Amino acid sequence: MERLFLGLDSSTQSLSPLVIDLDTRRIVYDGSQAFDDIPEYGTRNGVLPSGEPGVVHAPPLVWVEAVDRVFEKMKDAGVPLNRILAVSGSGQQHGSVYLKPGFNAALDRLDPDRRLAENLEDTFSRATAPIWQDSSTSAECREIGEALGGMLATAAATGSIAIERFTGPQIRKFFKQDPQAYEQTGHVALVSSFLASILAGRVADMDPGDGAGMNLMDIGRKTWLPEALEATAPSLSGKLPGISPSWSVIGNVSSYFVDRYGLAADTKCLVWSGDNPNSVVGLGLIQPGMAAISLGTSDTFIGTMADCHTDPRGEGHVFGSPAGGYMSLICLTNGSLAREKVKDQYGLDWNGFSGALADTRPGNEGRMILPWFGPETVPKVLEPEVHRKDLDPADAPANCRAVVESQMMALRLHSEWMGIRPERMYATGGASANTAILQIMADVHRSPVYRSEVTNSAGLGAALRAAHGYLEDAGTPMPWDEIVRGFADPIEASRIDPDPASADVYDEAIRTYAEFEQDALGG
Ligand code: XUL
């Protein structure tokens, strides 16, 4: 008997449903609806054009309309929607949706003869939702940080320093700009909890994975932090939902989906989480001490921890892990961006770039680069600046090796606070196809590296969480390693072992790298 579970991934640009069959370990449906392909909402790359610097909002109704569209697509494709046992989801993190007090009542009486967007269009107290790309709340970050005893105290209490894209500073800005509309807001949701509410037909709780991205949650207790709510906006506790474990069942699916799309009336709805916490599950990082590096537009180091450690430098984030315990994350903005810049500067293609890595030796004879071609998050660099150490700008091979080695050393150095010494690391993202880059990753981190082939780790993580929560609720729990087996396994044959001699070279080089970085940052 097949057991089907649905994960819905609401990212910045699209809503992507993924249906898995737990018994055959197969993905049976993998679809997508781009928000820009619903032109009446006027998005470009998922967001609204904005005249104000740093302001990035999206229309929440396009996310709602996309829910109907993906269920229509699944129905047309013959997905046996009546056999889906449970559904969960993933939302782009930090974005917030502002709803009138009547939201819950509107959810309770969703009319299956009208589209969701028509049912819900009058329920918003703010027409647009600020999302994670918004960086317009520096003043509010300072105010919240000060009220909580400084930036590092804020990080220790909430898992991250007060950051522009996080939800608390965004809520505060809304309250300051439009106190009346704030007062008329009965409910503030995250993208994840907003969509979970629609699926379940009632206001849904948040999970500690996404709740941690708000500067409002006590990271140790995984409950709201009263001082942070007070520092953010008045009467906020009455407007936020509860925080429930990531495996909690909200209830059965709303009758809207039963009547309109033929889901079974007892299909369970699980709480949703953020895309990064879902990816932890989708990549199979289910035990504490596991780590993955995603080599994408930006490079991200994700780790898992049993206990909560926060970053004493305030550069990294700690969120709840949906598999229990915590996840940590640092993001180097100049990832592929920097590799591509260097490749293009010397007129190389990727084969030529790999050739340059092969022609140079580990440690690069001490030649290094700080490839901050654009502003950098880790370490924080506001104005683009590129620094070279003993490196001739005309030496193409040495520059190619320098950028990859320096990025890997930065990832190791700036993730040390997590206290993770992984026995194996996973690599994902576009550049993980390059074995020469993965060899440097294995050597710098002194760990075997495996390539992961999972493409939509957030959507897969959501579907796997649906399976996990459903089985838990049914009284037939399945351990996490059994849940993810066959879905999230890295490619065994892709294993790259560290070379002990090269690893020794990098153990030395990383000290020089740290000094070089400190000097460039002005000590
Ligand atoms: C994480 C973050 C992004 C969004 C993207 O802090 O801002 O990764 O979650 O969807």
Side-chain angles (χ1 to χ4, degrees):
M1 239 282 284
E2 64 186 4
R3 286 178 293 176
L4 302 182
F5 297 95
L6 168 63
L8 290 164
D9 169 29
S10 184
S11 72
T12 313
Q13 304 205 30
S14 56
L15 179 67
S16 306
L18 193 105
V19 180
I20 58 166
D21 177 352
L22 189 66
D23 296 306
T24 59
R25 308 275 148 179
R26 272 187 323 118
I27 291 173
V28 297
Y29 181 81
D30 185 358
S32 193
Q33 171 67 54
F35 301 133
D36 290 3
D37 290 344
I38 313 176
E40 37 303 12
Y41 295 95
T43 59
R44 259 197 90 167
N45 299 323
V47 304
L48 293 167
S50 148
E52 279 178 79
V55 171
V56 184
H57 285 213
L61 268 179
V62 79
W63 306 331
V64 175
E65 171 58 21
V67 173
D68 271 322
R69 302 262 178 133
V70 300
F71 274 98
E72 281 158 6
K73 286 186 184 189
M74 286 192 282
K75 201 173 168 187
D76 291 348
V79 176
L81 292 170
N82 60 336
R83 300 224 298 275
I84 288 173
L85 297 176
V87 45
S88 187
S90 168
Q92 51 170 314
Q93 290 199 259
H94 318 300
S96 43
V97 185
Y98 300 78
L99 297 139
K100 292 181 191 162
F103 179 54
N104 209 8
L107 291 173
D108 194 38
R109 45 159 206 267
L110 291 175
D111 173 2
D113 292 329
R114 295 191 303 151
R115 302 184 76 75
L116 286 167
E118 283 175 67
N119 273 287
L120 295 172
E121 63 190 348
D122 293 329
T123 59
F124 298 90
S125 57
R126 188 184 197 183
T128 60
I131 67 147
W132 66 279
Q133 290 164 328
D134 189 291
S135 58
S136 67
T137 62
S138 298
E140 290 74 19
C141 289
R142 273 194 300 278
E143 290 159 1
I144 293 170
E146 266 166 38
L148 294 180
M151 282 303 174
L152 295 185
T154 306
T158 71
S160 300
I161 62 168
I163 305 179
E164 283 77 357
R165 68 184 190 284
F166 274 41
T167 323
Q170 293 289 345
I171 295 172
R172 180 162 179 78
K173 182 179 165 193
F174 179 50
F175 154 69
K176 281 166 60 184
Q177 274 190 340
D178 195 346
Q180 213 179 343
Y182 173 77
E183 209 196 306
Q184 285 159 7
T185 299
H187 176 60
V188 181
L190 287 171
V191 178
S192 60
S193 72
F194 172 62
L195 293 170
S197 302
I198 292 173
L199 263 295
R202 63 163 100 159
V203 166
D205 279 1
M206 296 171 182
D207 91 314
D210 220 13
M214 304 174 82
N215 288 134
L216 292 174
M217 192 184 89
D218 178 330
I219 191 69
R221 294 201 170 93
K222 300 181 180 174
T223 54
W224 296 123
L225 181 70
E227 304 89 283
L229 303 194
E230 228 162 84
T232 300
S235 313
L236 185 51
S237 70
K239 301 182 198 285
L240 292 170
I243 300 173
S244 290
S246 313
W247 45 88
S248 310
V249 172
I250 307 164
N252 289 341
V253 74
S254 159
S255 58
Y256 180 90
F257 297 93
V258 178
D259 297 342
R260 198 170 166 110
Y261 300 113
L263 270 77
D266 61 353
T267 307
K268 300 289 174 228
C269 284
L270 278 282
V271 296
W272 287 35
S273 189
D275 50 5
N276 292 297
N278 274 296
S279 287
V280 160
V281 172
L283 291 170
L285 306 179
I286 45 152
Q287 304 291 349
M290 297 182 83
I293 290 181
S294 168
L295 298 166
T297 311
S298 53
D299 289 346
T300 312
F301 184 111
I302 300 179
T304 53
M305 319 185 279
D307 304 312
C308 178
H309 315 264
T310 51
D311 181 359
R313 291 199 247 205
E315 294 166 345
H317 310 300
V318 179
F319 303 135
S321 164
Y326 292 91
M327 67 166 292
S328 48
L329 179 143
I330 55 166
C331 174
L332 272 64
T333 314
N334 287 279
S336 278
L337 179 87
R339 291 185 288 274
E340 256 175 62
K341 266 266 190 296
V342 171
K343 169 182 83 68
D344 294 345
Q345 262 171 12
Y346 301 104
L348 299 171
D349 58 14
W350 286 116
N351 276 338
F353 188 86
S354 300
L357 297 180
D359 289 345
T360 45
R361 293 222 310 271
N364 209 20
E365 292 159 33
R367 295 170 294 193
M368 296 177 184
I369 191 169
L370 298 174
W372 302 326
F373 290 95
E376 184 50 75
T377 319
V378 175
K380 191 164 183 171
V381 179
L382 295 174
E383 291 298 323
E385 47 186 281
V386 175
H387 300 257
R388 288 183 172 81
K389 183 177 182 317
D390 302 330
L391 180 64
D392 178 357
D395 185 342
N399 276 270
C400 292
R401 177 164 280 278
V403 70
V404 177
E405 287 190 345
S406 299
Q407 287 175 324
M408 285 302 165
M409 286 195 281
L411 285 164
R412 177 174 147 186
L413 186 69
H414 293 277
S415 62
E416 265 166 8
W417 61 271
M418 300 174 193
I420 294 169
R421 291 259 160 278
E423 281 169 21
R424 41 156 64 189
M425 293 180 84
Y426 299 159
T428 75
S432 67
N434 186 318
T435 49
I437 293 180
L438 297 198
Q439 183 66 57
I440 297 174
M441 174 173 161
D443 293 343
V444 171
H445 292 271
R446 203 186 277 277
S447 161
V449 168
Y450 292 79
R451 200 153 49 78
S452 166
E453 247 180 355
V454 174
T455 43
N456 180 359
S457 54
L460 176 61
L464 293 170
R465 288 199 308 101
H468 171 261
Y470 173 86
L471 293 172
E472 190 87 14
D473 184 61
T476 52
M478 186 185 272
W480 273 115
D481 53 355
E482 183 60 17
I483 295 268
V484 302
R485 190 178 50 79
F487 285 111
D489 305 341
I491 307 162
E492 275 304 315
S494 71
R495 177 179 170 128
I496 294 182
D497 282 301
D499 171 62
S502 304
D504 288 346
V505 169
Y506 291 122
D507 277 347
E508 274 300 308
I510 199 162
R511 290 191 223 167
T512 315
Y513 173 82
E515 284 166 21
F516 177 36
E517 210 189 73
Q518 269 311 307
D519 287 349
L521 296 170

